[in-house]
Amino acid sequence: MEKSQNGWPASKDEKAIGIKVFPIKGTDIKIRCNELAGVILAAFAAEFHTQIEPIDKGELDDWAYAYRPVRGQTTGLSNHASGTAIDLNATKHPLGKEHTFTGVQEIKLKDLVKKYGLRWGGSYKTRKDEMHFEIIETPEQVKLRINKLGLNK
C-alpha cells in the first residue's frame, strides 16, 4: 500500500485506510480523517477554534482527507492522502503567506501543536503553509497520546 509523507497508509479507497467523519466540537464543521489520527486532529481543531481563532462558518476552506500529491511536487503523497492532515481557515492563512497569525496566536498555536504531536505548516523551512496541521507520530505513538490526553472516552 502507498504511504504519505509521514509514513501512514494512503489510498484512493477511503475504507482501506479507515477514513471516518469527525465533528469539531463547538462548530458545525466535520472533517474526514483516518480513524486514529482524526481523534487527535478533531480535538486539536476544537482547541484551535476556542483558543486561536474561530473556524470559519460558511466558508469552504477547512478540509482533511484528499488523495493527492504534495502541492507543487510530482512525486510523494500529501499527508492529506492518508487522512492525517487538516487545513483550517485556509482563506485567512493562504499557502505561501507568512505571519497570518498574531504573535500571541503563534505562541498558543505552537503549544497546541506540541500538545497534540503535530507539525504546523507555518514552521516549514521553505514554502510556509500556515493553514496546515499534520500528524508526525506513528500510529502507536498516536494511540499513546490519545490515552494520555484522555481522548479515548
Side-chain angles (χ1 to χ4, degrees):
M1 180 172 281
E2 295 179 285
K3 295 191 181 290
S4 61
Q5 277 190 325
N6 60 7
W8 286 60
S11 177
K12 290 179 184 177
D13 180 357
E14 295 179 25
K15 289 181 182 179
I17 58 171
I19 299 298
K20 305 284 183 196
V21 175
F22 292 85
I24 298 173
K25 186 177 178 182
T27 76
D28 296 331
I29 306 288
K30 294 177 183 172
I31 53 176
R32 292 171 41 244
C33 298
N34 169 278
E35 59 194 337
L36 190 57
V39 174
I40 290 288
L41 293 168
F44 166 81
E47 285 201 59
F48 177 97
H49 177 72
T50 60
Q51 294 186 30
I52 308 301
E53 68 184 18
I55 297 173
D56 295 332
K57 292 185 178 185
E59 294 286 337
L60 295 176
D61 67 349
D62 307 298
W63 52 85
Y65 171 78
Y67 183 82
R68 63 173 178 79
V70 175
R71 296 266 188 241
Q73 295 183 14
T74 56
T75 61
L77 288 174
S78 166
N79 291 328
H80 289 283
S82 59
T84 60
I86 58 174
D87 292 341
L88 299 174
N89 292 346
T91 55
K92 288 183 182 177
H93 311 289
L95 180 64
K97 295 284 183 177
E98 295 184 49
H99 309 295
T100 62
F101 291 96
T102 68
V104 171
Q105 285 175 316
E106 280 197 28
I107 291 167
K108 288 181 184 178
L109 200 52
K110 288 175 183 176
D111 287 343
L112 278 181
V113 163
K114 184 177 179 180
K115 174 182 177 180
Y116 286 99
L118 305 175
R119 178 177 24 236
W120 173 44
S123 65
Y124 289 171
K125 299 277 188 258
T126 56
R127 181 185 64 187
K128 304 292 184 185
D129 193 2
E130 294 191 352
M131 72 179 94
H132 183 81
F133 305 91
E134 61 191 18
I135 298 281
I136 57 171
E137 297 179 324
T138 66
E140 294 74 26
Q141 290 170 318
V142 169
K143 287 177 191 174
L144 291 173
R145 187 172 298 274
I146 287 168
N147 288 333
K148 177 182 173 187
L149 295 173
L151 299 174
N152 53 352
K153 297 172 184 172

